[in-house]
Amino acid sequence: MKKKIYWNLCLIALVAVVLSSALTTVIYYRNLETQMKREVITEARYLEVGIELSGATFLDTLAEKGRMARPSRMTLIAQDGVVLYDNYAAPKTMENHKNRPEVADAMETGSGAITRTSATLSEKTFYYALRLQDGSVLRVANTTGSVLAAVWHLIPMMGFISVLIVLLSMLLAEGQTRHIVKPINELDLDHPEENQVYDELAPLIGKIERQQHTIQKQMETLKAKQEEFTAITEHMKEGFLVVDKKAEVVSYNSSAMQILGINRPHPEEVGMNILNFNRSQIFRHAVDEALMGHHLEQTMDISGRFYQIIANPVTEGTAVNGAIIVILDVTEKQEREGLRREFSANVSHELKTPLTSISGYAEIMKNGLVKPEDMKHFSENIYIEAQRMITLIEDIIKLSQLDENQVNLDQTPLDLYEIAGSVVSRLASHAKAQGVTLTLEGSPAVVPGNMQILDEMLYNLCDNGIKYNHRGGTVVVTVNTEQEETVLTVCDSGIGIPKADQERVFERFYRVDKSHSKEIGGTGLGLSIVKHGALYHHARIEMESSEGQGSTIKLIFQ
């Protein structure tokens, strides 16, 4: 804008100088021409007086005096048009001038004037004719070349002056441009109403002010939405990334940075190519497919955990403008799936063993290969294996109910010491048969809970303490209160649990010594039921065990 104003002012100044110079030249030329004509007429009047006093010889005298100065052309013409005298040409060589317009006018009216090209002088000439008293005509002429010469002599000076004026105009235009533009450059667009500007800019300022209010409201709305979006994405556990069609990151959340192993997110990471965040083939393939307009879900391993990559294209019409990448932690899901497969395999194996035994005994009995005296033994084995299967199925049902939180039994205040006494009483004969001393210590302690589940938990702990013990060993059940917490402890002097297996003993079907477990029976679900029962009662489990020295398991109720 500044340059445009500057050059417009310069152009106006240049046009003004050219027009004024041309106009001045024309006026000057016309003034000189008028002055020249007046001088010719004055000279003719002067010559008229001289001829009347001195005769035609006066013209010769003047011609002799002005020979060196090239005087005006003087011509004396008789009444019949014959040229009597001419100071530029021989009269005898000149044609009759009676029909010349200026001569004819002079003879008729006393004077005549005309401007035309002279055949003698070969220049544009002004002629003035004056009738004398004797009837002859005196004609004085002067060419306009002298006027043009004067004007031509003036042109260099006028050109020089014009250049100076143009340069001065450029300097003035520069200053004037700054003066004009300065108020516009100093406009405070944040507070348009406070500006003091030209009246012509008032409508524009008003429009800017209205637009400012509109933009401000829109910015506040966008800011609120941005803050809401940021709050939502930042509190997501899932990773979230938005990329444009060039695969450059537009937005992300902290979870995405943590999942992808970037310790501290930096604002400058926005605009980077997404492959700088993770270069694995699976991740790259998901991004590429989304940018091609395809939805894709893939699972990938990142630092030992499993994540599901969900890539969706962002489209506008048929054009793909970017993609949204969501990263979900599915480690627990994968682990549960693995546990489910392991659980199914273990259940199949545990059920297959007694079923195989039952099927074998039944087949032998069906074929009559059993002696009558052995029939009782075979029937007893079938009964034992069937009971084993029933126990396993019951434990699986209990575990499933606890695992899926489908236990609909009410919780009531119960005395753990009383429940422990009942369990110890029921297992006393079994402990005696194994040569193990089972005792109860402590004092009454009431906790909210379910009788059936608590009884099952304590029974499994005591039963394990008896089964995985040795003759002469002990199992001590203690109930007491420690720092406003009720603690149930089962301590045995049995075979103990190796340190490497202690983290897994609460898993379904996990056995430390499978060969020994098969000999003593059990389903491998006892401690798993204890774990899920503790979760149901919001209790925690603590275990201490040393191989060959026994184990201590605590249930701590808050």
Side-chain angles (χ1 to χ4, degrees), residues 100 114-127:
R100 298 292 173 91
I114 193 172
T115 300
R116 69 172 183 272
T117 300
S118 171
T120 302
L121 300 177
S122 300
E123 292 183 31
K124 192 175 181 180
T125 306
F126 173 69
Y127 294 95

Side-chain angles (χ1 to χ4, degrees), residues 105-377:
D105 289 342
M107 289 182 177
E108 183 178 353
T109 62
S111 64
I114 193 172
T115 300
R116 69 172 183 272
T117 300
S118 171
T120 302
L121 300 177
S122 300
E123 292 183 31
K124 192 175 181 180
T125 306
F126 173 69
Y127 294 95
Y128 181 75
L130 187 66
R131 188 180 64 192
L132 302 179
Q133 291 181 359
D134 60 0
S136 61
V137 175
L138 173 65
R139 190 184 70 178
V140 179
N142 198 352
T143 62
T144 59
S146 59
V147 177
L148 291 175
V151 173
W152 184 257
H153 180 72
L154 182 65
I155 287 177
M157 182 59 68
M158 292 183 64
F160 177 72
I161 293 173
S162 298
V163 171
L164 288 179
I165 292 174
V166 169
L167 292 176
L168 180 60
S169 299
M170 292 177 70
L171 292 175
L172 292 175
E174 176 70 21
Q176 191 65 20
T177 300
R178 290 178 181 176
H179 180 70
I180 293 172
V181 174
K182 183 179 179 182
I184 300 175
N185 289 336
E186 293 178 351
L187 285 176
D188 184 2
L189 297 180
D190 293 330
H191 306 88
E193 67 282 354
E194 298 179 3
N195 291 295
Q196 299 294 329
V197 293
Y198 310 112
D199 294 338
E200 292 79 3
L201 291 179
L204 175 62
I205 296 299
K207 187 175 182 179
I208 292 174
E209 183 177 0
R210 291 191 296 272
Q211 288 181 342
Q212 282 286 83
H213 290 307
T214 303
I215 292 171
Q216 184 66 27
K217 290 181 180 178
Q218 292 176 345
M219 289 295 294
E220 290 175 357
T221 302
L222 288 174
K223 184 178 180 182
K225 290 183 178 180
Q226 179 66 30
E227 290 176 351
E228 182 181 354
F229 176 78
T230 302
I232 292 172
T233 56
E234 283 300 316
H235 287 84
M236 289 171 56
K237 293 182 180 180
E238 298 80 7
F240 179 82
L241 298 110
V242 180
V243 298
D244 60 17
K245 58 185 177 182
K246 296 181 180 179
E248 293 182 350
V249 176
V250 177
S251 179
Y252 60 86
N253 65 353
S254 300
S255 295
M257 300 297 98
Q258 294 173 1
I259 291 171
L260 296 175
I262 300 175
N263 294 328
R264 291 190 304 168
H266 298 286
E268 59 268 18
E269 288 171 351
V270 174
M272 291 177 59
N273 191 285
I274 194 170
L275 296 182
N276 290 323
F277 290 72
N278 189 285
R279 296 181 179 274
S280 66
Q281 184 178 358
I282 295 175
F283 191 77
R284 185 166 60 248
H285 177 65
V287 174
D288 292 342
E289 286 294 316
L291 292 178
M292 288 190 292
H294 306 141
H295 170 81
L296 187 68
E297 296 185 16
Q298 286 187 312
T299 301
M300 64 182 294
D301 186 347
I302 302 177
S303 301
R305 296 187 67 83
F306 294 98
Y307 293 93
Q308 185 178 17
I309 309 299
I310 302 175
N312 285 299
V314 177
T315 59
E316 184 176 354
T318 57
V320 178
N321 292 331
I324 296 176
I325 313 299
V326 179
I327 308 173
L328 305 175
D329 190 342
V330 294
T331 304
E332 292 185 4
K333 180 180 178 182
Q334 293 287 333
E335 290 176 349
R336 285 197 301 269
E337 184 65 22
L339 289 174
R340 185 190 64 79
R341 289 193 296 267
E342 183 180 355
F343 179 75
S344 298
N346 287 332
V347 168
S348 299
H349 175 74
E350 293 295 334
L351 289 174
K352 184 178 180 181
T353 301
L355 283 173
T356 302
S357 298
I358 292 172
S359 178
Y361 289 132
E363 184 179 6
I364 294 173
M365 293 170 66
K366 182 189 74 171
N367 294 330
L369 300 176
V370 182
K371 296 178 181 180
E373 59 270 20
D374 294 330
M375 186 67 71
K376 181 180 179 181
H377 173 69

Side-chain angles (χ1 to χ4, degrees), residues 494-507:
I495 61 175
I497 303 171
K499 190 172 183 179
D501 298 310
Q502 289 181 12
E503 293 183 359
R504 300 197 60 189
V505 293
F506 291 96
E507 295 179 9

